[in-house]
DNA sequence: GTCTATAAGGCGATAGAC
DNA sequence: GTCTATCGCCTTATAGAC
């Protein structure tokens, strides 16, 4: 699996953005990490912002695609939530840096892409909300404040890359089981 | 309640840092928001970094102080968790901008303060972990992966200012009840 | 495809007048 | 306490040689 130069640049950029944040990484920093000069980057990418756009839009599309796949399935709300949690963990493992980047630096997108991102995120949350509502109707999920349940689950899933960074050796299947249990059933006996 | 100039600068800085991130806010931006020139800021503060340090260290101390207060109380683990959740909500309401700043920009602290911050955070997590462990021993809390339970609760509490920004009119007491219920009991019926 | 050189402007911070 | 003027450095990005 050979990476072309552009992919290499984007992967390294995502790694650096995750560690220091978009604005704290200069094109000189990025170039140095790749063993070239800053000017040479511009043979492969148009601008620093383009790198950020590619990173964020790619992973935003992944999430949007997956929830639209899970949402209409003829399964219970609980089973849908289990699939979504599994999906978040898989993406956290496969695309840690991209995910961190999306979470922390989306506000540094250009005007146009930022609007698209915000819309995709709202769409994702709406699909999630519909699943919870379906669960309440079917008496699978507690009839409590839906916005709080939504935020509680989603905030943990969105920042889970922070936990994973310090626990990389865990078995993904055990992880999925334990996180699902905690998010759905809470911590009380 | 009259603010002196330094407090005014720090409050406005926290607000701007929350919106754009530390590195994306220049001293010229900050000064303009206050109706003065950038050079004038330096009569009140030593450097841009000093502003960040004051913001983050203040709220980090608040959290540390409170958990050391709750931890030794002769109450059940569940009651301790309830008090901690209440405390997070109170600080989220009272110091939204400071909290956002701490969460997003702590890595831009100078070397020395960054080390102190990381240590305070580790101490906070350790106290939290001890409370969960006590709860497991007393059979109040499920004997599941403690690190996952810790992260699940803490990640929601730490980013709760994002939710609160869009739901400012909610009654704090109802909020505390609902969030506590969701974090402790989960979402399943 | 990478290099050197450089443009054009923003950055944090200081000096000194008022 | 705020101002104007400025320093020295860093920034993204381009031009043109090799």
């Amino acid at each position: 699996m050979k990476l072309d130069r552009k992919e290499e640049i984007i992967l390294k950029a995502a790694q650096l953005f995750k560690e220091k944040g978009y604005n704290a990484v200069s094109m000189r920093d990025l170039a140095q990490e790749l063993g070239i000069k800053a000017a040479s980057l511009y043979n492969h990418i148009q601008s620093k912002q383009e790198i950020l756009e590619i990173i964020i839009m790619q992973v935003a599309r992944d999430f949007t695609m997956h929830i639209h796949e899970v949402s209409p399935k003829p399964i219970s709300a609980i089973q849908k939530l289990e699939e979504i949690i599994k999906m978040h963990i898989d993406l956290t493992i496969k695309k840690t840096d991209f995910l961190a980047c999306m979470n922390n630096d989306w506000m540094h997108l250009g005007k146009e892409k930022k609007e698209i991102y915000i819309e995709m995120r709202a769409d994702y949350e709406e699909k999630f909300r519909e699943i919870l509502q379906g669960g309440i109707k079917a008496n699978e999920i507690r009839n409590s404040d839906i916005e709080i349940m939504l935020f509680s689950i989603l905030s943990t899933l969105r920042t889970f890359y922070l936990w994973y960074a310090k626990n990389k050796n865990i078995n993904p299947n055990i992880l999925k089981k334990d996180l699902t249990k905690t998010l759905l059933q809470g911590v009380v006996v």
Side-chain angles (χ1 to χ4, degrees), chain A residues 113-149:
Chain A
K113 299 283 177 180
K114 179 153 62 179
E115 281 170 14
I116 294 173
Y117 169 75
I118 289 173
E119 210 181 317
M120 288 174 87
R121 196 180 51 179
D123 174 63
Y124 187 84
E125 287 177 11
E126 183 54 27
K127 283 271 166 259
F128 210 124
R129 192 177 285 114
E130 284 170 16
I131 291 171
L132 288 175
Q133 259 154 354
I136 292 174
K137 237 184 208 161
N139 209 36
E140 299 170 44
I141 288 174
R142 266 195 304 109
N143 191 6
S144 183
D145 188 317
I146 199 167
E147 296 304 320
I148 287 178
M149 293 193 292

Side-chain angles (χ1 to χ4, degrees), chain A residues 158-174:
Chain A
R158 278 176 173 155
T159 59
F160 198 69
Y161 69 92
L162 292 168
W163 187 89
Y164 183 69
K166 291 188 282 185
N167 298 271
K168 291 210 175 181
N169 359 346
I170 197 166
N171 177 318
N173 290 318
I174 296 176

Side-chain angles (χ1 to χ4, degrees), chain A residues 91-107:
Chain A
L91 279 174
T92 295
I93 292 173
K94 229 186 292 178
K95 305 194 178 181
T96 317
D97 299 344
F98 280 45
L99 233 145
C101 213
M102 180 175 80
N103 263 315
N104 300 324
D105 289 318
W106 64 268
M107 73 279 278

Side-chain angles (χ1 to χ4, degrees), chain A residues 1-9 11-12:
Chain A
M1 189 179 77
K2 204 179 149 291
L3 300 175
D4 69 8
R5 205 63 162 143
K6 183 162 182 173
E7 276 180 284
E8 211 180 334
I9 290 169
L11 286 174
K12 181 58 80 179

Side-chain angles (χ1 to χ4, degrees), chain A residues 7-176:
Chain A
E7 276 180 284
E8 211 180 334
I9 290 169
I10 287 165
L11 286 174
K12 181 58 80 179
Q15 189 189 320
L16 294 177
F17 293 167
K18 182 192 73 184
E19 286 164 15
K20 305 185 183 186
Y22 176 72
N23 275 299
V25 177
S26 72
M27 295 301 269
R28 283 171 175 81
D29 295 336
L30 176 55
Q32 194 174 37
E33 284 280 316
L34 294 162
I36 57 175
K37 297 291 174 183
S40 307
L41 293 168
Y42 291 89
N43 266 294
H44 306 283
I45 51 102
Q46 281 200 327
S47 66
K48 190 184 176 187
Q49 271 224 19
E50 193 211 7
I51 300 176
L52 187 67
E53 287 172 6
I54 291 170
I55 292 170
I56 293 180
M57 287 300 145
Q58 188 193 106
V59 66
R61 256 190 298 274
D62 285 345
F63 278 110
T64 301
M65 220 184 60
H66 277 112
I67 203 159
H68 278 270
E69 234 172 76
V70 171
S71 174
K73 282 192 182 177
I75 55 180
S76 73
I78 298 293
Q79 285 171 315
K80 287 179 188 177
L81 290 179
E82 284 169 358
E83 287 205 21
I84 289 169
I85 292 168
K86 221 178 103 182
M87 180 255 286
H88 269 267
I89 291 176
D90 287 334
L91 279 174
T92 295
I93 292 173
K94 229 186 292 178
K95 305 194 178 181
T96 317
D97 299 344
F98 280 45
L99 233 145
C101 213
M102 180 175 80
N103 263 315
N104 300 324
D105 289 318
W106 64 268
M107 73 279 278
H108 300 119
L109 287 168
K111 189 171 179 291
E112 195 191 338
K113 299 283 177 180
K114 179 153 62 179
E115 281 170 14
I116 294 173
Y117 169 75
I118 289 173
E119 210 181 317
M120 288 174 87
R121 196 180 51 179
D123 174 63
Y124 187 84
E125 287 177 11
E126 183 54 27
K127 283 271 166 259
F128 210 124
R129 192 177 285 114
E130 284 170 16
I131 291 171
L132 288 175
Q133 259 154 354
I136 292 174
K137 237 184 208 161
N139 209 36
E140 299 170 44
I141 288 174
R142 266 195 304 109
N143 191 6
S144 183
D145 188 317
I146 199 167
E147 296 304 320
I148 287 178
M149 293 193 292
L150 176 62
F151 181 81
S152 175
I153 297 175
L154 215 39
S155 61
T156 298
L157 293 176
R158 278 176 173 155
T159 59
F160 198 69
Y161 69 92
L162 292 168
W163 187 89
Y164 183 69
K166 291 188 282 185
N167 298 271
K168 291 210 175 181
N169 359 346
I170 197 166
N171 177 318
N173 290 318
I174 296 176
L175 173 54
K176 280 169 196 168

